[in-house]
Amino acid sequence: RAKKLYLSHGFTITRSLLCYQIKKEMLEGTSSVQLQKQENISIPSGDCNPSWQNSDACISRGGFTAYDIVHDSVKRGVICFNPAKGSIAQIYIEPQYRRQRFAKQAIISAKTCTETPTLGILNVSSDCEGINGVLTHMGFSLLLTQSEMVYTL
């Protein structure tokens, strides 16, 4: 109902956002990556733009911590999550290291650093096939979809 109301008042949908969750006990596999805590959150821009809730400015104020994803002493990417809430805000894998399971391994490693029985990732753009495929393949359940909307003045 709210979506129809916004649309009737001139808002337009800019993209669909997907929200996922998994019980940590359901995460299978091992990880050969180390998560090295960053002093300051520094996440490169990638192919998928984060929603405003997962933007660098918001996550730096929201109890999130960024970790370098390191394998064989080489940084392969970054994962940012809130250990107290089990909420992943962003995952970035360097282009030359994609499709080598580093995102999956980082998520598996993150489960040991969180205090909740579940892991979740909110507001993943539906057109970001890579991360949506990883999450689906790992067994994450789609909790809900949302729409990002704008109103042009």
Side-chain angles (χ1 to χ4, degrees):
R1 290 177 47 197
K3 185 175 175 178
K4 286 182 182 180
L5 180 64
Y6 278 103
L7 291 171
S8 72
H9 287 283
F11 282 79
T12 56
I13 297 172
T14 56
R15 62 181 172 165
S16 292
L17 302 170
L18 309 177
C19 302
Y20 295 96
Q21 188 176 56
I22 191 169
K23 291 181 181 178
K24 291 194 309 189
E25 65 198 39
M26 301 301 289
L27 280 173
E28 296 179 354
T30 60
S31 175
S32 61
V33 302
Q34 294 80 44
L35 300 182
Q36 295 179 353
K37 186 176 179 180
Q38 294 180 348
E39 291 300 317
N40 298 305
I41 294 176
S42 176
I43 304 170
S45 296
D47 300 332
C48 300
N49 293 321
S51 65
W52 69 266
Q53 299 94 332
N54 291 334
S55 68
D56 294 353
C58 287
I59 60 177
S60 65
R61 292 188 304 264
F64 288 85
T65 304
Y67 297 84
D68 291 333
I69 302 165
V70 178
H71 178 73
D72 289 339
S73 301
V74 177
K75 180 179 172 181
R76 309 300 172 127
V78 178
I79 185 169
C80 183
F81 58 90
N82 182 318
K85 294 182 179 179
S87 180
I88 300 168
Q90 293 187 36
I91 302 174
Y92 174 81
I93 304 297
E94 296 288 345
Q96 67 270 30
Y97 300 121
R98 293 181 186 165
R99 301 197 186 287
Q100 296 178 38
R101 300 185 181 194
F102 290 118
K104 177 181 179 178
Q105 290 182 56
I107 293 168
I108 290 169
S109 292
K111 82 176 183 178
T112 64
C113 304
T114 55
E115 304 167 19
T116 57
T118 61
L119 283 179
I121 184 165
L122 303 179
N123 298 334
V124 179
S125 186
S126 63
D127 63 354
C128 293
E129 295 175 4
I131 191 61
N132 285 303
V134 168
L135 296 169
T136 301
H137 185 262
M138 289 181 73
F140 277 76
S141 297
L142 181 63
L143 290 180
L144 60 100
T145 61
Q146 303 186 94
S147 297
E148 186 175 74
M149 305 174 98
V150 295
Y151 182 76
T152 305
L153 298 174

